[in-house]
Amino acid sequence: MPLHVSDHPIVQGCLADLRDAMTSPERFRWLARQAITFLLYEATRDLPLRESTVRTPLGEARARRVEGEVVAIPVLRAGLGLLSPVLELLPRVSVGYVGLERDEQTAVARIYYQKLPPLAGKVPLLLDPMLATGGSAVQAIDLIERAGGRGTRMICIVAAPDGVRALEAHHPHVDVYTAALDEGLNDRAFIVPGLGDFGDRLFGTV
């Protein structure tokens, strides 16, 4: 499975402060947007382009624009913190949602909500900040593929080897873009060293 761990200095600087337990929710949200912006650059680097021309104040110039449409699919609720850079940067984007809730005793996720736009011929971009056990990602991609989506790319902030192995087993064709591949999971299936519960820190509900 293609795993892309960013070594960009700005991404790594954001990650350091996202990990810091003293980072406030306001700054946490800003850092998440910064990190996702740079990961998004990498995840969309090979989107197809179409040739065109534009009229500048001094003449005509060749131009290239993104061909086709991206569908951003945040996993509720934490994935909402990754959505705004996608909407700001991509010229043609629609949004779907997948609600997944993890049982804290078993660490198994269940889908409680789904709303996807038409996916045929579009690039699905799955947004979920933590790739821990991989169960949520596998279920979300299963859902995307049943709805006709192909070529899904996933953006997360931190991944664990367990989650990577789960995706390799079920969806080896999915490209994953992340800021870090951490050591593993603790007995509650949280990524270690990780950065805690992303959703709680994002929304100030710790």
Side-chain angles (χ1 to χ4, degrees):
M1 184 195 73
L3 176 68
H4 311 270
V5 181
S6 176
D7 60 358
H8 195 288
I10 293 177
V11 173
Q12 291 304 307
C14 289
L15 176 63
D17 288 343
L18 285 167
R19 291 191 192 275
D20 190 337
M22 300 304 294
T23 297
S24 68
E26 294 83 3
R27 180 156 174 77
F28 192 93
R29 288 189 284 269
W30 183 86
L31 290 163
R33 287 194 299 270
Q34 292 294 106
I36 289 304
T37 296
F38 281 85
L39 291 172
L40 181 62
Y41 290 157
E42 298 181 22
T44 58
R45 181 181 297 275
D46 63 344
L47 288 179
L49 297 169
R50 60 180 171 83
E51 300 288 338
S52 64
T53 59
V54 295
R55 173 71 57 181
T56 80
L58 301 176
E60 194 172 81
R62 292 179 58 196
R64 294 190 296 170
R65 304 180 190 277
V66 173
E67 177 76 14
E69 185 177 333
V70 170
V71 179
I73 306 169
V75 174
L76 303 177
R77 67 177 171 153
L80 291 174
L82 314 185
L83 181 59
S84 62
V86 181
L87 299 179
E88 291 167 5
L89 292 174
L90 292 177
R92 297 178 61 196
V93 59
S94 53
V95 180
Y97 297 95
V98 176
L100 283 154
E101 184 175 51
R102 188 172 84 155
D103 185 306
E104 294 301 332
Q105 300 301 316
T106 66
V108 176
R110 67 173 184 88
I111 295 175
Y112 67 87
Y113 179 78
Q114 54 179 292
K115 182 71 172 179
L116 297 176
L119 298 178
K122 303 174 184 178
V123 177
L125 194 63
L126 181 63
L127 307 173
D128 194 357
M130 310 299 282
L131 177 59
T133 65
S136 295
V138 168
Q139 287 192 61
I141 296 167
D142 285 344
L143 182 65
I144 289 167
E145 293 192 349
R146 286 197 299 270
R150 298 293 182 268
T152 299
R153 303 164 190 214
M154 180 179 184
I155 297 181
C156 59
I157 300 290
V158 180
D162 306 64
V164 172
R165 286 192 292 270
L167 280 186
E168 282 179 331
H170 294 89
H171 298 289
H173 53 282
V174 171
D175 284 77
V176 176
Y177 297 83
T178 185
L181 179 63
D182 274 8
E183 297 169 11
L185 304 177
N186 65 12
D187 57 1
R188 296 179 57 206
F190 279 88
I191 299 175
V192 177
L195 45 77
D197 188 300
F198 191 96
D200 282 345
R201 296 192 66 191
L202 183 75
F203 295 112
T205 54
V206 177

